[in-house]
Amino acid sequence: MTPPVFWVDEVPRAGESVTVTGPEGRHAVTVTRIKAGAPVILGDGRGTRADGTVTGIDGKDRFTVRAGRVEFQARPTPLVTVVQALPKSDRADLAVDLMTEAGVDEIVPWQAARSIARWSGSRAAKGVDKWRTVAATAAKQARRPWIPQVHELSTTIGVRDLCARVHADGGVVALLHEEGAVPFRSIDFTEAAEVVLVIGPEGGLTDEEIADLTALGGRSVVLGPEVLRTAAAGAVALGALGAVTDRWSR
């Protein structure tokens, strides 16, 4: 069984020790019931990881780890950003969890026209914080060296700017839509340094949103014959992308 992963602010160098505290320390000591001598993996969520051994337990929320082998893993290419229109609250966590496990690099929450969920003020801040927590937990579960970056809530203007910039830089912008103009598999992703996948809410993208983002270089695409729920679409698209690019070469 693979040793458990714990996030730390900075991974120590080989032979050095670090004390893990806070939520990570509390979970390890009180939930996982970790013991001295147990093997663990330490990660900073930015590509660096170390094999380690627990050398001591201090109270209910602290334990010390001595680092062994340390390695850095670069992000896979192309870099993939998922623009996820806000789903219903019960599906938002699932969407973030699945796309994180499937390898997304960045997530942009989007207040789309048909989003039933409405974020503003403190609710937007709490929603983004929740998505970041879910992403960190899912990355740990998937043994990922990178935690996806979850951006602040975006308006359609922000999504327009992102899509226009990526297209201008030679990247690919794919608008996932059940009536997409071309199949996902027909797009050549191999030369792109960056890919943006735009996913609508439960009601899908509006005609106006598709026309707007298409005018900025986006392409309306269909993944397959099945109509996917918004919570699953990102993960399925990332899986398809991994199979046709070098993202799954390791």
Side-chain angles (χ1 to χ4, degrees), residues 173-184:
V173 178
L175 318 176
L176 274 60
H177 186 55
E178 62 185 87
E179 297 178 359
V182 297
F184 187 91

Side-chain angles (χ1 to χ4, degrees), residues 166-220:
V166 171
H167 176 68
D169 290 344
V172 174
V173 178
L175 318 176
L176 274 60
H177 186 55
E178 62 185 87
E179 297 178 359
V182 297
F184 187 91
R185 66 179 181 277
S186 69
I187 298 179
D188 183 7
F189 294 97
T190 57
E191 298 300 321
E194 189 169 358
V195 173
V196 173
L197 304 174
V198 181
I199 301 171
E202 283 79 359
L205 300 170
T206 66
D207 292 341
E208 292 77 11
E209 288 167 340
I210 293 173
D212 190 17
L213 297 178
T214 299
L216 296 171
R219 302 184 68 181
S220 176

Side-chain angles (χ1 to χ4, degrees), residues 156-169:
T156 297
I157 292 176
V159 173
R160 282 172 49 89
D161 291 344
L162 171 64
C163 293
R165 192 267 302 167
V166 171
H167 176 68
D169 290 344

